[in-house]
Amino acid sequence: QKLGMKDLNLDMTKLNKVIDETIYEELLTTNQTAKILGLKAKTLEAKRRIGDGPTFVKLSERCVRYRSSDLREFVESRLRKNTSQQEVL
């Protein structure tokens, strides 16, 4: 697929935004993130595929990283007062 200059500029804008947001945060690997969350890496990968895991940064086709701020947000979004509670606090 042929990309024009406009497409490249949009991609660079997105990339610059990700870089600006992550430059002061360490980017964690899938293994590091899984360990922090108490999951196996394969479980985290499966959650990523179905959209049930924390927000991630896809740096390339095979390079996925997680920001610590996104992990905090993910954990906080799952806080509950009891086991039957469905909604976020």
Side-chain angles (χ1 to χ4, degrees), residues 21 25 66-74:
E21 291 174 355
E25 280 187 76
Y66 295 87
R67 299 183 304 182
S68 57
S69 60
D70 291 326
L71 296 186
R72 281 190 294 277
E73 184 178 310
F74 175 75

Side-chain angles (χ1 to χ4, degrees), residues 11-66:
D11 287 344
M12 287 305 296
T13 301
K14 289 178 189 176
L15 178 60
N16 287 334
K17 186 174 190 286
V18 169
I19 290 170
D20 288 345
E21 291 174 355
T22 60
I23 196 142
Y24 298 110
E25 280 187 76
E26 178 183 4
L27 295 176
L28 303 168
T29 66
T30 298
N31 287 334
Q32 291 170 319
T33 301
K35 186 174 182 179
I36 289 168
L37 296 176
L39 301 171
K40 292 183 178 181
K42 291 287 184 192
T43 302
L44 183 58
E45 290 168 1
K47 287 182 170 292
R48 186 170 64 227
R49 279 192 298 278
I50 63 172
D52 190 37
T55 301
F56 60 93
V57 178
K58 190 169 184 177
L59 297 173
S60 69
E61 192 61 36
R62 292 183 164 190
C63 185
V64 172
R65 296 291 185 264
Y66 295 87

Side-chain angles (χ1 to χ4, degrees), residues 71-88:
L71 296 186
R72 281 190 294 277
E73 184 178 310
F74 175 75
V75 169
E76 288 180 17
S77 74
R78 280 150 173 74
L79 291 175
R80 304 290 186 267
K81 291 266 188 191
N82 59 59
T83 57
S84 62
Q85 185 177 2
Q86 295 295 319
E87 295 187 25
V88 178

